[in-house]
């Protein structure tokens, strides 16, 4: 996951859109497939890294680590490290992160409806 150069036109365009439009701003934070998937699993409560890794079978450990760090930087999740041997780390949605619940449920509903529509359309072709 590489960052966009801050001097690029692409970066300037994304920033301008995000500044103008709260929907774009929100989409930039949770828009990636992994970020949203992580939030979907954490909506049910705390999880450890290994539990998330098992749920997200196709994600690499590196990508999961990067996504968790980014979500933590954006204050969507918290990371709690327990002083145990072996160390235990848990991830949980923050207060603002838990507010994604209604959005995630609406995405789920919309996704099912759209999937059904596409199946119907392909049957009629």
């Amino acid at each position: 996951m590489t960052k966009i150069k801050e001097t690029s036109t692409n970066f300037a365009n994304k920033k301008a859109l995000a500044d103008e439009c709260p929907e774009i701003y929100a989409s930039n934070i949770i828009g990636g497939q992994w970020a949203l998937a992580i939030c979907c699993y954490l909506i049910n409560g705390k999880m450890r890294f290994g539990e998330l890794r098992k749920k997200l079978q196709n994600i690499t450990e590196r990508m999961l680590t990067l996504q968790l760090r980014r979500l933590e930087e954006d204050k969507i999740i918290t990371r709690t490290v327990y002083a145990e041997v072996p160390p235990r780390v848990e991830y949980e949605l923050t207060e603002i992160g838990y507010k994604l619940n209604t959005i995630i449920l609406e995405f789920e509903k919309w996704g099912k409806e759209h999937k059904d529509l596409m199946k119907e359309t392909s049957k009629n072709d």
Side-chain angles (χ1 to χ4, degrees):
M1 187 167 92
T2 58
K3 289 196 172 197
I4 301 172
K5 289 183 185 176
E6 291 187 20
T7 56
S8 72
T9 304
N10 188 12
F11 181 83
N13 289 341
K14 280 188 163 199
K15 184 168 179 358
L17 272 173
D19 289 344
E20 292 174 19
C21 182
E23 297 87 352
I24 299 292
Y25 175 82
S27 160
N28 287 343
I29 293 172
I30 62 162
Q33 76 182 64
W34 297 121
L36 185 57
I38 291 166
C39 291
C40 286
Y41 286 116
L42 291 177
I43 213 82
N44 297 316
K46 297 177 185 178
M47 291 183 85
R48 295 174 71 174
F49 184 90
E51 293 173 306
L52 283 166
R53 179 78 173 88
K54 285 178 188 171
K55 295 279 187 188
L56 302 163
Q57 295 177 5
N58 295 325
I59 195 170
T60 63
E61 285 190 21
R62 182 178 186 279
M63 181 55 71
L64 180 55
T65 300
L66 290 171
Q67 291 294 313
L68 289 168
R69 284 182 189 158
R70 200 185 103 225
L71 288 168
E72 188 178 9
E73 286 173 15
D74 289 335
K75 309 289 189 244
I76 305 299
I77 64 169
T78 58
R79 178 180 185 264
T80 306
V81 181
Y82 296 91
E84 299 175 356
V85 177
R88 178 171 53 114
V89 179
E90 290 182 338
Y91 296 92
E92 182 178 25
L93 291 174
T94 60
E95 185 178 337
I96 193 86
Y98 275 113
K99 289 184 178 185
L100 288 169
N101 190 32
T102 54
I103 296 165
I104 288 169
L105 291 173
E106 285 300 313
F107 262 132
E108 178 184 23
K109 181 179 158 188
W110 184 87
K112 286 177 181 176
E113 288 178 21
H114 190 266
K115 199 179 223 181
D116 291 345
L117 173 71
M118 295 306 288
K119 284 179 186 175
E120 277 300 313
T121 306
S122 67
K123 285 180 186 176
N124 295 333
D125 287 340

